[in-house]
Amino acid sequence: YTGGQLENNVEAAKYGVNVADLTLEATKQTVKLNATSAYFKILQCRNIIQVDQDAVDTLQAHLTNVNAQYRVGTVAKSDVLRSQVELANAQQSLVSAQNSYDIAVSTLNNIIGLPTDTVLNIRDELKYTKYDLTLDNCTSYAMTYRPDGIAAAQAVKEAEAAMKAVKAGYRPQVEAVVQKSIAGEHAFDDDHTSSDAWSVGIQGSWNIFDNNVTEAQVQQKKATLRKAQQQALQQQETIQLEVRTAYLNLLAAEKNIQTTKVAVDKAQEDYKIAQVRYSAGVGTNLDVMDAEEKLTSTQTTYITALYDYNTSKASLDKAMGLK
């Protein structure tokens, strides 16, 4: 009998193992989020490359048209120069987009443990899928299943068990001893001599005057327990904040998808009108350049909104503790 010391030490160790397992699970979920975000970054960069490539092709075709009109004297030299500048800018943007794509691929390779120069054949596309859960549903799930939240609660129980183990110093220690003595020429054969003997005894001890060592240890464990309790409360608040932040980011990205999709359609129509007016001699080259720039900008914004929506959804899954 140890006054509960052994039992509570074992109990504390069990909770410690649970905390370690839950911490491992939380780490796995973080790695999953990092890999998912890096994957969506590749899709975003690839789509932006396509937008910039379309802009280069469009401006190249427009420059060809401007040169043709300049040769017959219907437009000024400034239109040719402005078109050349816009084309050069678009080509630079395309190079930057291609570089960003290469970096995104290398980043994902690094996260998933592949050589950074591994070529990935990715066929997925960024898309919008309606998220039906409410904020209350997400928060409730996270408070129940998120591993770091459970780990914080288990850490409180671990601290409680450790405190109980230290309190064993207030109680007596009792040991029961049973001993058999074997003697003779062949001690472990069957022909034991009469010198074989059994002894049974009980031994007890109680450290009543320990100069308050046990009391100091108990106070230390109480402080550790209070700290674990505060950390558990703080972890609950952190979980609620992370779920709310990810959910609101998801809603904002969803709204941006809807508005920018309409903006892209209008920008495409506006660019076609500007081209027709310029070819007919009633519009300016500046109108075409502005319309093309707005089209590229709105397309990029739309792609970014899709990326933000999907990464916010992945962050919400992580905040909820989904595997």
Side-chain angles (χ1 to χ4, degrees):
Y1 172 75
T2 62
Q5 183 182 39
L6 291 178
E7 297 89 334
N8 285 292
N9 280 337
V10 170
E11 194 73 10
K14 288 180 179 179
Y15 287 126
V17 171
N18 292 340
V19 170
D21 289 339
L22 291 164
T23 302
L24 175 61
E25 178 59 32
T27 302
K28 289 180 179 179
Q29 292 183 9
T30 299
V31 172
K32 177 184 176 183
L33 173 61
N34 293 338
T36 303
S37 299
Y39 185 82
F40 287 138
K41 186 65 177 179
I42 292 176
L43 301 183
Q44 180 195 27
C45 291
R46 187 180 63 186
N47 287 357
I48 291 178
I49 286 176
Q50 186 59 53
V51 169
D52 289 343
Q53 184 62 62
D54 290 343
V56 169
D57 295 341
T58 298
L59 289 171
Q60 183 63 64
H62 178 69
L63 177 60
T64 301
N65 181 35
V66 172
N67 280 324
Q69 294 192 55
Y70 173 71
R71 284 193 294 269
V72 297
T74 57
V75 299
K77 179 67 174 180
S78 60
D79 285 3
V80 176
L81 296 176
R82 176 63 187 275
S83 299
Q84 290 173 338
V85 170
E86 291 298 325
L87 176 59
N89 290 336
Q91 290 171 335
Q92 291 179 9
S93 296
L94 177 59
V95 171
S96 296
Q98 291 170 335
N99 183 64
S100 297
Y101 175 82
D102 292 338
I103 293 174
V105 171
S106 297
T107 300
L108 179 59
N109 285 334
N110 178 260
I111 292 174
I112 63 180
L114 293 176
T116 55
D117 58 351
T118 301
V119 178
L120 300 178
N121 183 18
I122 298 177
R123 299 180 180 179
D124 290 335
E125 293 290 343
L126 282 175
K127 58 184 179 180
Y128 165 72
T129 303
K130 179 67 176 178
Y131 198 85
D132 295 326
L133 293 179
T134 65
L135 177 58
D136 289 339
N137 294 145
C138 296
T139 303
S140 177
Y141 187 94
M143 298 303 292
T144 304
Y145 296 106
R146 181 151 156 175
D148 48 358
I150 301 174
Q154 292 284 297
V156 172
K157 294 182 178 180
E158 180 184 4
E160 289 175 346
M163 184 180 67
K164 291 178 182 178
V166 171
K167 284 184 176 180
Y170 293 132
R171 306 182 186 96
Q173 306 282 318
V174 180
E175 295 181 5
V177 179
V178 179
Q179 180 176 338
K180 181 180 181 182
S181 299
I182 302 174
E185 267 184 57
H186 307 288
F188 297 100
D189 289 343
D190 294 333
D191 57 343
H192 297 157
T193 67
S194 59
S195 62
D196 294 354
W198 287 86
S199 62
V200 178
I202 296 178
Q203 175 180 307
S205 63
W206 194 349
N207 191 6
I208 300 176
F209 304 104
D210 65 350
N211 201 26
N212 289 325
V213 171
T214 299
E215 178 63 21
Q217 291 175 340
V218 170
Q219 293 303 319
Q220 180 186 32
K221 295 302 181 183
K222 283 184 178 179
T224 302
L225 174 59
R226 288 194 294 268
K227 179 181 179 181
Q229 291 171 336
Q230 289 300 317
Q231 288 176 335
L233 291 174
Q234 184 179 2
Q235 186 61 38
Q236 290 178 352
E237 294 175 355
T238 299
I239 290 173
Q240 292 175 353
L241 176 60
E242 290 182 0
V243 171
R244 184 175 185 84
T245 299
Y247 192 86
L248 293 178
N249 287 339
L250 186 73
L251 294 182
E254 184 178 36
K255 293 177 182 177
N256 288 335
I257 289 173
Q258 297 169 354
T259 55
T260 55
K261 183 65 173 66
V262 175
V264 168
D265 294 337
K266 292 183 178 180
Q268 289 174 335
E269 183 179 359
D270 183 54
Y271 180 72
K272 291 178 182 178
I273 293 174
Q275 279 187 315
V276 172
R277 286 174 56 84
Y278 182 76
S279 298
V282 295
T284 66
N285 188 52
L286 181 60
D287 293 336
V288 177
M289 296 294 98
D290 287 344
E292 193 283 327
E293 182 179 356
K294 290 178 181 178
L295 175 57
T296 301
S297 176
T298 53
Q299 288 175 329
T300 301
T301 303
Y302 175 67
I303 293 170
T304 301
L306 284 174
Y307 169 76
D308 290 342
Y309 180 82
N310 283 277
T311 53
S312 295
K313 187 177 179 181
S315 296
L316 181 57
D317 289 345
K318 165 64 172 59
M320 291 171 60
L322 291 175
K323 294 183 179 181

